[in-house]
Amino acid sequence: MALEDATVGLVGKVLDNWLLVGITLGVMVLASYLMQMTSVLKTLPAAISKAEFTSFPLIHVENVSHNTKLFRFGLLHPRQSLELPIGKHISVLGYDENNEEVRRPYTPTTLADTLGHFDLVVKIYPQGKMSQIFDKLTIGKTLKFRGPMGRFKYEPNMKAFFGMVAGGTGITPMFQVIKAILENPHDKTKLSLIFGNITEDDILLKSELDGFQRTHPDRLEIFYILDKPPQGWTGGRGYVTPEMITERFGEPSDTNMILSCGPPPMKKALKGHLEKLGFTDDMLFEF
């Protein structure tokens, strides 16, 4: 009986030792894999360059509204990110039906750390040269991109408050900044957005924006304005007014900044309103 117990004990120790060896080897293999992946990521070239255009293939398309689509482009490596600083945009190069070069600026709605792809939300205009190039693009076909571009440099908590005025597709740089601020637990910046469109169907990224507002009611306020509101509409009507600005953004302050992006007439009118209200040029940035 003693011999049997000794044998069982010995077998148990052997099994324990083999289990320990197995765990050790597993940890070593995992550590080696992680080191290799880190090395691969460090040696990956930047996904995009400001000096020259890089081609990326279209990998996904979906309708956002009746005249707007989301176009997703794949990066060259699934572990790459666009690494586009917040507030920056990219230049897109394509060729029209006459093989003539067309370039336009766009702001991705994905953040800098999104891996393997980036998204562009594009409004399709019947006579828009670049939007028609996007609309005719099929899965697997490429466009060329260059960046980062732009003068705006965002840093967490650089201002206590951002007042934002966007019109139509001008929402995309605002969306990028809003998303980055609210997803950063260390960023305490408060935000107020005035977003103008023609009809309710034209409001881009509304479900995402409303989701941000529900999740962060103490930090984000959104006021929608329509030129042609439907019956029962409870938001704003017409155009941005000085009264709306004062109510939503408060008085001019060095700790606040106003960001705007939209059609030229909107930006011109907004600048005039802000000047009359006492906002100085360094308190306004136009994308």
Side-chain angles (χ1 to χ4, degrees):
M1 190 68 180
L3 180 60
E4 183 178 337
D5 290 342
T7 302
V8 170
L10 180 60
V11 170
K13 288 182 180 180
V14 171
L15 290 176
D16 287 343
N17 288 338
W18 275 111
L19 180 60
L20 181 60
V21 170
I23 292 174
T24 302
L25 289 174
V27 170
M28 292 173 64
V29 169
L30 178 60
S32 176
Y33 172 76
L34 291 175
M35 290 176 63
Q36 290 178 19
M37 287 303 300
T38 301
S39 177
V40 167
L41 290 177
K42 286 182 177 179
T43 58
L44 284 175
I48 195 169
S49 167
K50 190 174 182 178
E52 58 184 2
F53 283 95
T54 303
S55 296
F56 296 116
L58 180 68
I59 60 174
H60 174 75
V61 181
E62 65 180 74
N63 292 322
V64 176
S65 73
H66 65 103
N67 61 358
T68 305
K69 296 181 179 182
L70 180 148
F71 296 86
R72 177 166 295 170
F73 292 87
L75 299 178
L76 302 181
H77 191 282
R79 300 297 299 176
Q80 269 185 325
S81 66
L82 201 57
E83 297 182 11
L84 191 72
I86 300 304
K88 300 292 185 182
H89 64 269
I90 55 180
S91 178
V92 184
L93 169 63
Y95 296 88
D96 64 14
E97 56 189 12
N98 297 318
N99 204 35
E100 293 182 353
E101 191 176 281
V102 181
R103 300 187 189 198
R104 293 288 187 277
Y106 287 92
T107 302
T109 54
T110 41
L111 295 184
D113 58 356
T114 301
L115 298 179
H117 71 272
F118 62 94
D119 295 345
L120 298 178
V121 174
V122 180
K123 190 169 185 177
I124 308 300
Y125 296 97
Q127 305 302 321
K129 287 189 175 182
M130 181 56 82
S131 67
Q132 284 300 311
I133 291 173
F134 271 101
D135 198 34
K136 293 179 172 62
L137 203 64
T138 56
I139 299 297
K141 297 298 183 181
T142 64
L143 287 178
K144 296 182 178 181
F145 304 86
R146 183 167 69 94
M149 317 294 286
R151 297 176 291 110
F152 186 72
K153 184 178 180 181
Y154 178 74
E155 295 179 3
N157 300 303
M158 62 183 283
K159 294 290 180 181
F161 173 85
F162 278 122
M164 301 177 166
V165 181
T169 54
I171 189 60
T172 53
M174 307 301 180
F175 181 85
Q176 184 197 59
V177 173
I178 290 171
K179 187 175 183 181
I181 288 174
L182 296 181
E183 291 188 358
N184 182 352
H186 304 293
D187 199 328
K188 307 304 179 184
T189 309
K190 292 192 174 183
L191 306 156
S192 180
L193 169 67
I194 299 175
F195 187 13
N197 287 277
I198 297 175
T199 69
E200 190 171 10
D201 288 339
D202 292 318
I203 302 176
L204 302 180
L205 302 168
K206 188 175 188 302
S207 61
E208 291 88 347
L209 290 168
D210 290 345
F212 287 147
Q213 190 174 29
R214 283 193 301 271
T215 308
H216 304 275
D218 57 330
R219 296 184 57 205
L220 173 63
E221 178 185 64
I222 301 175
F223 186 59
Y224 297 105
I225 303 175
L226 298 180
D227 290 348
K228 300 177 180 178
Q231 188 173 3
W233 174 254
T234 58
R237 298 167 181 263
Y239 302 100
V240 179
T241 65
E243 293 74 21
M244 289 179 189
I245 295 170
T246 300
E247 181 182 353
R248 303 283 165 177
F249 301 164
E251 299 296 325
S253 169
D254 291 337
T255 62
N256 302 345
M257 178 175 278
I258 310 302
L259 308 179
S260 77
C261 188
M266 184 209 81
K267 292 197 289 187
K268 182 179 179 181
L270 176 63
K271 191 168 185 180
H273 295 334
L274 291 173
E275 287 177 355
K276 291 178 181 178
L277 292 170
F279 288 85
T280 57
D281 287 344
D282 60 336
M283 296 177 185
L284 170 66
F285 184 88
E286 296 180 345
F287 287 98

